[in-house]
């Protein structure tokens, strides 16, 4: 079986030629045979060992298709890509299926790194404030550290929300 996507004009022209030559399949076989004769001496490339060659056909209602398109759009993939990722996740062939997750987590990671740098600076300032001859206010530095700790906790919770969303996304009802 061979499937080819062609525009309507090309298909109409092909059909017009195929009409007197046994139909689409017969003409396509003839064209393929002639093309192969022309490239008979061309080097052959072996097919990939792990190429996906099995096709599954699914039929969905309009409502189901709309949901599939919406969910796929949320993940930045097409419908077929989303369905393949979903199936592969459920049969445990590929765990990392959502590139969008990396995009969602990256700003949180950067924010945590920034907070970590600020926390290091605050700790240095707190240590300096503890010296007897320092003019720094220890309470102010401790408040900065407490604020950063709270900000870290918020970012960790945001990261957890993303990760929970990722795992719940792939769960199915029993």
């Amino acid at each position: 079986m061979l499937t080819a996507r062609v525009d309507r004009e090309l298909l109409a022209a092909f059909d017009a030629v195929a009409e007197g030559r046994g139909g689409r399949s017969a003409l396509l076989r003839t064209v393929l045979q002639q093309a192969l004769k022309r490239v008979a001496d061309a080097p052959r490339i072996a097919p990939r060992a792990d190429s996906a060659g099995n096709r599954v056909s699914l039929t969905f209602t309009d409502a189901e298709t709309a949901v599939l398109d919406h969910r796929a759009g949320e993940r930045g993939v097409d419908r077929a890509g989303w369905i393949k990722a979903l199936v592969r996740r459920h049969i445990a062939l590929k765990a990392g299926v959502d590139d969008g997750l990396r995009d969602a987590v990256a700003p949180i990671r950067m924010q945590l790194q920034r907070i970590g740098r600020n926390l290091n600076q605050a700790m240095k300032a707190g240590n300096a404030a503890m010296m007897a001859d320092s003019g720094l206010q220890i309470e102010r530095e401790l408040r900065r550290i407490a604020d950063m700790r709270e900000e870290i906790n918020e970012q960790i919770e945001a990261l957890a929300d993303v990760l929970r969303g990722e795992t719940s996304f792939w769960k199915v009802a029993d």
Side-chain angles (χ1 to χ4, degrees):
M1 172 121 174
L2 173 69
T3 302
R5 297 189 190 281
V6 295
D7 62 43
R8 291 175 198 258
E9 292 175 17
L10 180 58
L11 183 59
F14 188 83
D15 283 343
V17 173
E19 185 64 33
R21 291 177 175 80
R24 282 183 186 172
S25 291
L27 179 59
L28 186 56
R29 273 192 303 278
T30 303
V31 168
L32 288 172
Q33 287 168 349
Q34 290 172 357
L36 285 174
K37 285 179 187 174
R38 287 189 192 127
V39 294
D41 296 334
R44 303 285 188 231
I45 300 171
R48 289 181 283 168
D50 193 25
S51 65
N54 298 312
R55 178 178 292 270
V56 175
S57 178
L58 304 169
T59 305
F60 296 103
T61 66
D62 289 343
E64 291 167 335
T65 301
V67 171
L68 288 172
D69 290 341
H70 176 74
R71 296 274 175 90
E74 287 178 332
R75 298 292 188 216
V77 296
D78 64 0
R79 183 187 314 154
W82 187 83
I83 292 169
K84 281 193 292 189
L86 181 64
V87 170
R88 286 175 175 161
R89 175 64 179 195
H90 278 280
I91 60 175
L93 290 181
K94 294 189 178 183
V97 294
D98 191 1
D99 293 334
L101 178 63
R102 272 186 294 233
D103 296 338
V105 172
I108 296 171
R109 182 176 176 271
M110 290 174 52
Q111 183 74 356
L112 287 171
Q113 286 176 326
R114 184 189 66 75
I115 294 167
R117 284 191 294 272
N118 289 341
L119 188 55
N120 285 340
Q121 292 171 355
M123 290 301 293
K124 287 179 185 177
N127 288 334
M130 295 187 64
M131 293 183 188
D133 60 347
S134 173
L136 294 174
Q137 301 280 328
I138 189 72
E139 290 85 19
R140 183 182 63 146
E141 296 307 320
L142 290 175
R143 171 80 335 245
R144 280 184 61 206
I145 292 170
D147 289 346
M148 283 184 260
R149 187 177 75 192
E150 183 139 341
E151 196 172 343
I152 287 172
N153 287 336
E154 289 172 7
Q155 293 301 319
I156 289 170
E157 185 58 35
L159 183 56
D161 288 345
V162 169
L163 295 174
R164 270 193 303 274
E166 172 63 5
T167 58
S168 66
F169 171 77
W170 296 109
K171 289 186 181 167
V172 293
D174 291 330

